[in-house]
């Protein structure tokens, strides 16, 4: 019968001979599951070391990798000796990655930045490391952090307080007052003077105007050397961020220590002399913006900061660094790029004229309408597209699918806006003009013209999606983005209206981005840009009319 069929002995042995190795192979395979397919490696890797040279020592190579990454796929790998980073490209991958904190966690990278860059240590750093609740009002799933110990959320909430309309208005008002005061009181007359570097000139004006507006005047009054120390610290941020030992560059650590001491001194003064919370205005000259007083009250009751003045001061240094470094460099590039094109400068100056009026010896600029001028907004957007490079790193909380690959838990993924900002395929179809490649600054790139009004451009931000993201995406989007825009446009408006400015560099001697700061925000210039400046003669002699405009 069918069930009683027998096999010769040799057939039985043959079947066992074939089956046993197959079963053994399947058993061993079950012990070592087949690994998922991995993305291809980014170009430029070398044996053993991978992309270590580019990541640590050669930012120009790193920039070229990110610029070329869209050509090689939506996910690539940066290989390192003991780990790797996954580079994420294309909108379908970028937006979910930056907008899903329950899967892609920012906090480990924040902890690393605070530890390496501003020197946070001890219990404060431990508190940040242990806080797995995220920065949203609702804690992330599986978080067991007590509400009072949700420092990342509470600190983010206090830092973002200045984005409230009334707080932002107070900041803008004080900054505008400070900048107008500099214009009126500076010792630049109608005779040409020749400062050696436009970047340092703009930097020093805006740093004081911004710092006094945010922290009040006493921070720089108590520590006037902070004006120089902060930029020495800023210059070495790429070195500090890598966590390299102090003996390799002791000046970097000493500059940081002096900055922290300046904030320790200011905080002691402010806590002793500042107003109480129940009578706190939006701005006062002790703490500056209200959010800084609230933030220091948070420190006083939070584990890790409560008894550690150094931790509080280091955290405040992080605020000043974030507030000034990127925006001030961007304001410089905005001014420089307009000065390098007579046509662009003239057209931008005419736009300023449309919102400026003169009353006696004073110039009044309608700042609300200034922010709506199409050409100035386009120059602003193009400046950030070309000169801002930020590596946004996340660490996976759980395994997930990304671009057709399975990303294991604990994997680091990185998105760099530079790869999108320099992606020819994303921008060229929009311009339809081969004369303006993405590597070239084009101040009118973001203007749109309609058939009904061909001579009246509009600033077009529609459908930009992820191809223009200088401030990041999602809940980690830069809270200072609105102030940055105000600072950049107002700086150009006041300087161009009150002064004649001419570059004095030789033909072809054009500043390029300093790639040592690639990935850390707005890149500075790689060389000094000498210039000359004088107060507009008509501004001196016709203060009672608007003719000087």
């Amino acid at each position: 019968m069918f069930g009683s069929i027998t096999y010769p002995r040799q057939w039985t042995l043959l079947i066992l001979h074939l089956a046993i190795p197959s079963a053994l192979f399947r058993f061993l395979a079950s012990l070592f599951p087949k690994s998922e397919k991995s993305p291809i490696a980014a170009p430029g890797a070398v044996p053993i070391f991978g992309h270590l040279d580019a990541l640590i020592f050669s930012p120009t190579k790193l920039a070229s990798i990110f610029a070329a990454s869209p050509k090689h796929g939506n996910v690539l790998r940066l290989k390192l000796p003991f780990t790797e980073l996954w580079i994420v490209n294309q909108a379908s991958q970028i937006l979910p990655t930056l907008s899903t904190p329950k899967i892609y966690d920012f906090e480990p990278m924040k902890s690393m930045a605070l530890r390496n860059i501003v020197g946070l240590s001890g219990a404060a750093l431990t508190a940040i490391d242990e806080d797995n609740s995220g920065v949203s009002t609702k804690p992330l799933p599986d978080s067991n952090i007590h509400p009072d110990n949700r420092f990342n959320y509470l600190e983010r909430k206090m830092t973002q307080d200045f984005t409230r309309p009334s707080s932002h208005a107070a900041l803008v008002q004080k900054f505008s007052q400070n900048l107008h005061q500099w214009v009126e009181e500076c010792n630049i007359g109608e005779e040409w003077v020749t400062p050696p570097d436009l970047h340092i000139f703009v930097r020093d004006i805006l740093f004081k105007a911004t710092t006094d507006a945010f922290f009040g005047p006493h921070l720089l009054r108590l520590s006037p050397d902070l004006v120089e120390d902060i930029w020495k610290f800023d210059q070495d941020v790429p070195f500090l961020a890598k966590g390299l030992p102090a003996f390799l560059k002791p000046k970097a650590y000493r500059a940081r220590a002096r900055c922290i001491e300046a904030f320790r001194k200011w905080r002691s003064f402010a806590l002793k002399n500042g107003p109480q919370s129940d009578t706190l205005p939006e701005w006062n000259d002790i703490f500056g913006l209200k959010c800084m007083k609230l933030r220091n009250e948070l420190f006083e009751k939070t584990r890790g900061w409560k008894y550690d003045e150094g931790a509080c001061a280091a955290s405040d240094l992080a605020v000043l660094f974030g507030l000034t470094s990127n925006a001030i460099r961007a304001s410089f590039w905005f001014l420089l790029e307009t000065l390098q094109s007579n046509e662009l400068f003239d057209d931008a100056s005419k736009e300023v004229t449309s919102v400026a009026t003169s009353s006696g010896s004073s110039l009044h600029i309608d700042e609300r309408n200034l922010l709506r001028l199409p050409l100035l907004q386009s120059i602003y957007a193009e400046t950030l597209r070309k000169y801002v490079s930020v590596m946004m790193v996340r660490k996976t909380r759980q395994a997930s699918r990304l671009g057709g690959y399975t990303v294991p838990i604990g994997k680091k993924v990185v998105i760099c806006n530079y790869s999108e900002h320099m992606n020819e395929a994303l921008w060229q179809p929009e311009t339809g003009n081969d004369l303006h490649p993405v590597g070239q600054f084009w101040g009118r790139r973001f203007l749109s013209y309609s058939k009904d009004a061909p001579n009246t451009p509009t600033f077009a931000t529609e459908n930009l999606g992820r191809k223009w993201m200088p401030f990041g995406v999602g809940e980690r989007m830069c809270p200072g983005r609105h102030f940055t825009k105000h600072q950049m446009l107002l700086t150009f408006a006041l300087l161009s209206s009150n002064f004649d400015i001419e570059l004095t560099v030789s033909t072809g001697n054009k500043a390029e981005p300093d790639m040592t700061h690639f990935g850390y925000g707005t890149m500075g210039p790689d060389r000094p840009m000498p210039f000359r400046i004088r107060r507009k003669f008509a501004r001196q002699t016709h203060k009672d009319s608007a003719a000087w405009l």
Side-chain angles (χ1 to χ4, degrees):
M1 295 178 63
F2 181 78
S4 61
I5 296 177
T6 60
Y7 295 97
R9 178 180 176 85
Q10 59 269 30
W11 283 102
T12 302
L13 293 175
L14 178 62
I15 292 172
L16 290 175
H17 178 73
L18 295 174
I20 290 176
S22 177
L24 179 61
F25 176 80
R26 289 195 300 272
F27 171 72
L28 294 174
S30 68
L31 297 179
F32 302 96
K34 183 179 180 180
S35 61
E36 291 278 351
K37 179 182 177 182
S38 296
I40 65 171
V46 298
I48 301 177
F49 296 103
H51 299 95
L52 182 65
D53 175 63
L55 194 64
I56 302 296
F57 302 110
S58 182
T60 301
K61 290 183 182 178
L62 185 64
S64 66
I65 290 173
F66 278 105
S69 61
K71 302 176 183 177
H72 299 280
N74 54 14
V75 182
L76 296 175
R77 287 182 300 135
L78 274 178
K79 300 173 65 177
L80 300 172
F82 301 105
T83 185
E84 61 185 16
L85 299 173
W86 285 24
I87 301 175
V88 181
N89 297 305
Q90 301 183 4
S92 60
Q93 318 302 322
I94 289 174
L95 296 180
T97 302
L98 295 179
S99 304
T100 316
K102 66 180 181 180
I103 298 177
Y104 299 100
D105 186 13
F106 170 78
E107 300 311 328
M109 300 305 107
K110 173 185 176 181
S111 174
M112 181 182 69
L114 289 174
R115 178 182 65 248
N116 292 349
I117 295 177
V118 299
L120 194 67
S121 61
L125 191 62
T126 301
I128 292 177
D129 287 339
E130 293 177 350
D131 182 3
N132 61 355
S133 65
V135 297
S136 300
T137 304
K138 183 179 180 180
L140 290 171
D142 302 324
S143 174
N144 58 358
I145 298 297
H146 188 277
D148 291 341
N149 292 329
R150 294 193 62 204
F151 178 80
N152 289 318
Y153 160 67
L154 294 172
E155 188 266 350
R156 181 71 171 175
K157 182 180 178 182
M158 293 301 147
T159 301
Q160 288 191 315
D161 181 75
F162 80 93
T163 63
R164 291 183 298 104
S166 58
S167 182
H168 177 73
L171 173 63
V172 165
Q173 181 183 21
K174 294 303 297 185
F175 171 77
S176 179
Q177 288 176 358
N178 293 343
L179 200 54
H180 276 87
Q181 183 178 356
W182 179 88
V183 168
E184 294 298 325
E185 297 180 358
C186 73
N187 59 2
I188 299 175
E190 62 185 76
E191 298 295 328
W192 288 109
V193 293
T194 56
D197 187 9
L198 182 65
H199 175 233
I200 293 177
F201 177 79
V202 172
R203 185 194 75 184
D204 290 349
I205 296 170
L206 295 185
F207 179 74
K208 189 176 190 312
T210 303
T211 303
D212 286 356
F214 198 94
F215 292 91
H218 295 289
L219 175 59
L220 295 183
R221 180 187 65 81
L222 293 167
S223 301
D225 290 341
L226 182 62
V227 174
E228 293 296 327
D229 287 334
I230 191 70
W231 296 111
K232 293 176 182 177
F233 159 75
D234 180 272
Q235 186 63 33
D236 285 323
V237 160
F239 169 81
L240 294 168
K242 297 176 177 67
L244 299 173
F247 73 84
L248 293 177
K249 206 169 189 179
K251 290 183 178 179
Y253 285 82
R254 288 198 293 267
R256 183 177 71 185
R258 292 194 299 269
C259 291
I260 292 174
E261 180 57 31
F263 276 100
R264 192 198 307 266
K265 187 185 300 184
W266 169 77
R267 187 171 183 274
S268 176
F269 169 84
L271 290 175
K272 181 179 179 180
N273 297 283
Q276 300 301 311
S277 294
D278 55 356
T279 60
L280 202 62
E282 289 294 349
W283 192 93
N284 68 90
D285 66 354
I286 303 298
F287 270 102
L289 281 184
K290 178 180 179 178
C291 68
M292 291 309 297
K293 170 65 173 175
L294 298 177
R295 195 166 182 272
N296 277 284
E297 290 181 354
L298 171 65
F299 290 155
E300 291 177 343
K301 60 183 180 182
T302 304
R303 178 172 64 95
W305 283 265
K306 187 173 182 180
Y307 302 110
D308 191 341
E309 288 294 323
C312 298
S315 299
D316 286 342
L317 170 60
V319 172
L320 180 63
F321 169 68
L323 177 70
T324 59
S325 178
N326 294 317
I328 290 176
R329 286 194 179 105
S331 297
F332 155 76
W333 285 115
F334 185 112
L335 180 60
L336 178 67
E337 288 290 1
T338 55
L339 288 171
Q340 291 180 145
S341 168
N342 292 334
E343 180 186 4
L344 187 62
F345 185 87
D346 290 344
D347 289 347
S349 298
K350 289 176 182 177
E351 272 202 337
V352 173
T353 300
S354 69
V355 296
T357 56
S358 178
S359 176
S361 62
S362 300
L363 168 68
H364 173 72
I365 292 179
D366 184 343
E367 296 181 24
R368 183 174 182 180
N369 285 320
L370 176 74
L371 300 180
R372 299 173 178 174
L373 295 174
L375 179 57
L376 262 64
Q377 290 189 88
S378 181
I379 298 171
Y380 148 83
E382 177 70 347
T383 298
L384 300 184
R385 182 196 69 82
K386 189 172 188 297
Y387 293 109
V388 174
S389 64
V390 179
M391 288 192 290
M392 296 164 273
V393 184
R394 301 293 187 267
K395 186 176 182 179
T396 52
R397 292 175 176 268
Q398 60 192 59
S400 64
R401 295 291 292 176
L402 188 64
Y405 303 98
T406 297
V407 189
I409 187 172
K411 182 68 66 178
K412 296 182 181 70
V413 299
V414 57
I415 293 168
C416 186
N417 56 10
Y418 192 79
S419 64
E420 310 309 300
H421 291 180
M422 293 295 157
N423 187 344
E424 199 81 46
L426 293 178
W427 295 95
Q428 205 61 33
E430 301 294 330
T431 66
N433 192 332
D434 293 337
L435 296 178
H436 305 290
V438 293
Q440 178 187 74
F441 185 93
W442 184 32
R444 292 176 168 82
R445 194 180 299 275
F446 291 82
L447 293 182
S448 176
Y449 299 84
S450 67
K451 294 181 180 179
D452 297 332
N455 297 320
T456 307
T458 57
F459 175 62
T461 58
E462 294 81 5
N463 302 318
L464 286 181
R466 49 81 194 180
K467 74 177 186 180
W468 187 78
M469 48 179 182
F471 299 109
V473 176
E475 67 180 8
R476 284 291 175 179
M477 185 176 288
C478 175
R481 60 192 181 277
H482 302 301
F483 176 69
T484 294
K485 181 178 182 180
H486 201 115
Q487 181 188 90
M488 291 172 66
L489 271 61
L490 183 60
T491 298
F492 173 80
L494 287 182
L495 291 180
S496 64
S497 297
N498 287 279
F499 303 97
D500 294 318
I501 308 174
E502 296 179 1
L503 297 174
T504 58
V505 296
S506 57
T507 302
N509 185 19
K510 185 179 183 298
E512 297 293 340
D514 177 5
M515 300 307 289
T516 60
H517 275 72
F518 178 83
Y520 295 98
T522 308
M523 297 173 284
D526 65 351
R527 71 198 71 183
M529 294 299 288
F531 69 106
R532 64 178 188 167
I533 182 172
R534 67 181 178 184
R535 196 175 295 270
K536 287 182 181 292
F537 179 73
R539 180 76 171 94
Q540 296 271 355
T541 58
H542 300 289
K543 293 181 179 180
D544 58 343
S545 73
W548 61 273
L549 291 172

